[in-house]
């Protein structure tokens, strides 16, 4: 009869260490380079979904970017800070500055002559009368050719360079610092661009001033004037007025930038409605008024240097150093002489700012690339500034 109780041998075999581990397979040995197995399938699914979503996000961004470029191409808009944008700003500056300055040559002619010789005319009206009677209408536009060439070159470098340096300094500072110190960065950009633009302007300015202040003109045209100057004084003769030109243009540009937007915002602050509630005609009128008022401040800040530009180009002796020449001229004219021609220059700058080209070409470029207009603020774009310079 079989026993219902286990024998001693059976119990020993059942509970011995060899019996416990005999039924379990040995653990797998994983190499260090073998891929790790996911122990939780839900986590693996989520991670896989995140990866796919990220890939879709990248593809979506590419498609949006391509669609944006396509939309701009169809609507004629220019992508901000693209090569086409810089080219448009350069061309706009060339056209606007050259055309406007050529249009006010009669004002510039009288201003330069009265700066060099205050006793030549008793008033601006007398000056235009004498010039027109002696030389006709053509005489009142003496120096128009170097004016057009010089300020076209200056405008091209100034506005193309301004946009380039604005982007360059903003990227250098970083997004947060660029937004916080936006005005300072834009002023630095305008000064940097002006520094280069004035080098392009200076030779033509030298010819223009001499043509306007010598009677009869020392040369018949721009390039004949360049030949006469370089023949007598070398290439340095074309740049004898560069330092005061920098002293005139850089403060002028910085003051114009700093004051124009503030004045425009102030005008809208006194008006009963917000800027967006007014039509293009009113907005353009406010821009004209802001530019004219800013031009007055610019003229006052830069006028002593403007007088020195005229005097140095007309009276600086060959081989005379810049410092002694400035001292000699100041001794002759005194402090009051530094303000000769200020009234007519204010009128000239105001007229430059109010002429159509700078207020049509520049806003058109801005609109096509979606920067803000005057009276608006945006960290990535420049406020609208008139093209005119003097």
């Amino acid at each position: 009869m079989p026993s219902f109780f286990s024998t001693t041998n059976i119990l020993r075999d059942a509970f011995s260490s060899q019996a416990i581990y005999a039924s379990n397979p040995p653990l797998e040995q994983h190499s260090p380079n073998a891929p790790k197995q996911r122990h939780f399938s839900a986590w693996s699914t989520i991670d896989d979904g995140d990866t796919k979503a990220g890939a879709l996000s990248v593809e979506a961004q590419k498609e949006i970017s391509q669609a944006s470029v396509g939309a701009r191409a169809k609507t004629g808009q220019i992508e901000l800070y693209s090569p086409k944008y810089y080219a448009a700003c350069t061309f706009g500056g060339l056209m606007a500055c050259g055309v406007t300055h050529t249009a006010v040559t009669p004002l510039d002619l009288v201003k330069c002559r009265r700066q060099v010789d205050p006793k030549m005319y008793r008033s601006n009206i007398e000056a235009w009368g004498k010039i027109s009677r002696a030389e006709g209408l053509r005489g009142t536009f003496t120096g128009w050719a170097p004016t057009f060439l010089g300020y076209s070159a200056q405008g091209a470098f100034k506005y193309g360079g301004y946009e380039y340096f604005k982007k360059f300094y903003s990227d250098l500072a970083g997004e947060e610092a660029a937004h916080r110190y936006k005005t300072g960065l834009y002023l630095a950009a305008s000064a940097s661009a002006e520094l280069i633009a004035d080098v392009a302007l200076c030779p033509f300015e030298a010819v223009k001033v001499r043509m306007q202040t010598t009677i009869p003109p020392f040369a018949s045209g721009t390039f004949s004037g360049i030949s006469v100057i370089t023949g007598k004084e070398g290439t340095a003769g074309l740049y004898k007025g560069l330092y005061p030109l920098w002293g005139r243009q850089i403060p002028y540009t910085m003051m114009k930038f700093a004051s124009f937007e503030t004045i425009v915002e102030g005008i809208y602050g006194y008006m009963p409605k917000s800027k967006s509630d007014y039509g293009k005609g009113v907005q353009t009128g406010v821009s004209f008024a802001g530019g004219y008022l800013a031009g007055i401040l610019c003229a006052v800040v830069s006028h002593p240097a403007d007088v020195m530009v005229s005097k140095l180009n007309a009276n600086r002796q060959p081989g005379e150093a810049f410092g002694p020449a400035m001292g000699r001229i100041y001794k002759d004219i005194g402090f009051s002489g530094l303000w000769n021609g200020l009234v007519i220059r204010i009128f000239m700058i105001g007229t430059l700012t109010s002429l159509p080209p700078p207020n049509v070409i520049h806003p058109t470029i801005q609109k096509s690339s979606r920067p803000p207009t005057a009276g608006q603020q945006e960290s990535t774009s420049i406020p609208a500034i008139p093209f005119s310079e003097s």
Side-chain angles (χ1 to χ4, degrees):
M1 179 176 179
S3 174
F4 292 99
F5 300 96
S6 300
T7 64
T8 304
N9 292 334
I10 293 174
L11 291 175
R12 184 178 65 250
D13 292 340
F15 292 100
S16 67
S17 59
Q18 290 83 357
I20 294 174
Y21 294 103
S23 61
N24 295 328
L27 296 175
E28 295 181 7
Q29 299 295 323
H30 294 280
S31 66
N33 298 326
K36 295 182 179 180
Q37 297 294 325
R38 297 274 186 177
H39 297 289
F40 303 97
S41 60
W43 287 10
S44 178
T45 303
I46 292 171
D47 290 345
D48 188 48
D50 288 343
T51 303
K52 292 180 179 179
L56 289 173
S57 177
V58 172
E59 292 298 323
Q61 289 176 3
K62 289 181 180 180
E63 290 182 7
I64 291 171
S65 178
Q66 292 174 356
S68 176
V69 172
R72 288 180 182 274
K74 290 180 180 179
T75 59
Q77 291 178 347
I78 302 172
E79 185 179 356
L80 195 63
Y81 304 129
S82 65
K84 190 175 181 181
Y85 174 73
Y86 291 124
C89 290
T90 300
F91 180 73
L94 183 151
M95 292 299 295
C97 289
V99 171
T100 53
H101 278 79
T102 303
V104 297
T105 298
L107 300 176
D108 190 42
L109 172 65
V110 173
K111 177 199 68 126
C112 287
R113 287 186 177 180
R114 296 195 71 185
Q115 286 176 338
V116 172
D117 186 2
K119 299 178 181 179
M120 183 177 292
Y121 308 113
R122 289 176 295 180
S123 68
N124 299 329
I125 302 299
E126 181 191 54
W128 288 314
K130 284 186 175 181
I131 294 171
S132 60
R133 285 193 297 271
E135 307 172 49
L137 180 63
R138 182 177 180 180
T140 62
F141 279 87
T142 299
W144 74 268
T147 296
F148 177 76
L149 294 173
Y151 281 94
S152 294
Q154 189 227 27
F157 282 102
K158 176 182 177 62
Y159 285 92
Y162 177 67
E163 293 297 325
Y164 170 79
F165 283 114
K166 182 185 68 173
K167 178 73 162 55
F168 175 77
Y169 290 144
S170 296
D171 291 344
L172 202 64
E175 185 177 353
E176 184 178 347
H179 178 71
R180 183 181 304 170
Y181 305 109
K182 178 175 64 176
T183 300
L185 287 173
Y186 289 173
L187 291 175
S190 66
S192 300
E194 191 68 61
L195 194 74
I196 298 171
D198 290 346
V199 175
L201 169 64
C202 196
F204 300 100
E205 183 79 356
V207 174
K208 175 191 79 76
V209 170
R210 294 198 192 190
M211 289 181 69
Q212 292 178 335
T213 56
T214 56
I215 303 175
F218 83 108
S220 57
T222 304
F223 296 103
S224 63
I226 291 175
S227 298
V228 171
I229 293 173
T230 54
K232 292 181 178 180
E233 306 172 40
T235 306
L238 297 173
Y239 291 94
K240 61 171 59 177
L242 180 59
Y243 293 151
L245 188 62
W246 278 336
R248 180 187 82 183
Q249 292 296 129
I250 292 176
Y252 178 101
T253 301
M254 296 177 73
M255 173 59 75
K256 191 163 200 174
F257 177 86
S259 62
F260 176 75
E261 183 74 6
T262 302
I263 291 172
V264 169
E265 289 178 356
I267 293 173
Y268 280 117
Y270 280 101
M271 297 174 72
K273 302 177 183 178
S274 63
K275 177 180 181 290
S276 59
D277 294 330
Y278 294 100
K280 292 182 180 179
V282 174
Q283 292 183 15
T284 301
V286 171
S287 294
F288 285 173
Y292 207 105
L293 293 173
I296 294 174
L297 298 176
C298 296
V300 173
V301 167
S302 62
H303 194 72
D306 184 62
V307 172
M308 279 296 176
V309 170
S310 298
K311 296 291 284 185
L312 284 169
N313 279 308
N315 298 329
R316 187 175 176 182
Q317 304 300 320
E320 187 179 20
F322 175 73
M326 289 272 289
R328 175 178 59 80
I329 292 171
Y330 183 78
K331 186 177 180 179
D332 291 341
I333 65 176
F335 180 77
S336 61
L338 293 174
W339 305 98
N340 289 335
L342 176 61
V343 175
I344 191 171
R345 186 160 178 258
I346 289 174
F347 179 64
M348 185 179 89
I349 292 173
T351 304
L352 280 169
T353 306
S354 302
L355 284 173
N359 294 287
V360 172
I361 296 175
H362 195 214
T364 299
I365 294 171
Q366 288 187 317
K367 234 178 238 185
S368 68
S369 52
R370 295 183 181 273
T373 58
Q376 294 176 321
Q377 297 293 331
E378 185 175 322
S379 62
T380 58
S381 300
I382 166 185
I385 302 176
F387 268 107
S388 60
E389 289 296 326
S390 179

